[in-house]
Amino acid sequence: MSYRIGYLIGSLASDSINRVLSQALVKLAPDDLDMVEIPIRDLPMYNRDDEYSPTPAVTAFKDALASADGLLFISPEYNRSIPGALKNAIDVGSRPWGQNSFARKPVGIIGASAGSIGTAVMQSSMRGVLSFLDAPQLNAPEAYIHFNPEIYGADGTVSDESTAQFLAHYMSEYSAFVARVLSSALPGHMGDADPEVMH
């Protein structure tokens, strides 16, 4: 059994350390995870007025979320919270009402920072948002990465053995979590459209 995992990078910067981290995670992921980036760069700012006339970028984004079995958020921490571009993507993907693209998707959250707390506060904020959106979360192991650029290669290799082992372990645990969630998933969740109640 293999699973298609969409990963979202919270930084828009081309040289983001979290993009570097994502390359390492893709390389270290177990064979049963098919890792595919879901870009967020071209999404417009969320506006309720546009919910029922989405741009092509929004349609493509929601289609990518729908085609993923699970989602992995790889993100920095901005001002002790979620980067604006990533929060906007979450808002776009969760609407309109009844079309929440995150519901029942098994998610993982990981992030790298030059600072010693390694995105811990951002991840705490994310957990509250994703809980509201009915997205089951891998709660352990937690992964707050203090980024050392010297150990990450351009091709995703990680030269420090302990770091590589930790990241590989995280991806292995995420794979097992995805399998557990999807094997027990049942239809029906908060936000599903009720055919008898149209807004």
Side-chain angles (χ1 to χ4, degrees):
M1 186 72 181
S2 62
Y3 301 99
R4 181 180 178 89
I5 304 301
Y7 64 93
L8 293 79
I9 302 172
S11 171
L12 301 183
S14 60
D15 62 349
S16 166
I17 62 176
N18 282 277
R19 181 164 293 280
V20 175
L21 176 62
S22 75
Q23 294 166 345
L25 294 170
V26 169
K27 193 175 187 70
L28 292 166
D31 292 340
D32 62 347
L33 298 185
D34 177 21
M35 305 292 294
V36 180
E37 182 180 357
I38 300 179
I40 64 173
R41 174 181 295 276
D42 296 329
L43 292 173
M45 292 296 294
Y46 170 73
N47 182 341
R48 185 171 58 84
D49 293 343
D50 302 329
E51 284 186 355
Y52 293 99
S53 55
T55 66
V58 170
T59 299
F61 178 67
K62 287 183 69 70
D63 286 347
L65 294 174
S67 69
D69 296 308
L71 300 169
L72 184 63
F73 293 91
I74 308 166
S75 179
E77 177 177 299
Y78 288 177
N79 298 321
R80 295 290 189 265
S81 192
I82 305 167
L86 181 56
K87 179 57 167 63
N88 180 64
I90 294 171
D91 292 341
V92 169
S94 68
R95 302 294 294 180
W97 178 258
Q99 299 177 37
N100 170 16
S101 299
F102 298 99
R104 298 195 305 274
K105 299 283 185 180
V107 302
I109 312 169
I110 186 171
S113 170
S116 58
I117 64 172
T119 73
V121 183
M122 176 280 295
Q123 294 192 38
S124 178
S125 298
M126 279 281 289
R127 291 190 184 282
V129 173
L130 294 171
S131 292
F132 177 76
L133 295 179
D134 193 26
Q137 301 167 50
L138 174 64
N139 292 315
E142 297 177 312
Y144 312 128
I145 308 302
H146 174 62
F147 190 78
N148 178 359
E150 296 179 357
I151 68 173
Y152 293 89
D155 62 349
T157 57
V158 181
S159 60
D160 179 75
E161 183 176 355
S162 64
T163 301
Q165 289 179 348
F166 176 81
L167 296 177
H169 174 68
Y170 179 85
M171 294 303 290
S172 177
E173 289 293 316
Y174 175 65
S175 174
F177 173 72
V178 170
R180 288 196 304 273
V181 170
L182 296 182
S183 68
S184 61
L186 297 173
H189 65 280
M190 292 293 291
D192 272 341
D194 183 340
E196 296 181 0
V197 181
M198 302 302 294
H199 298 284

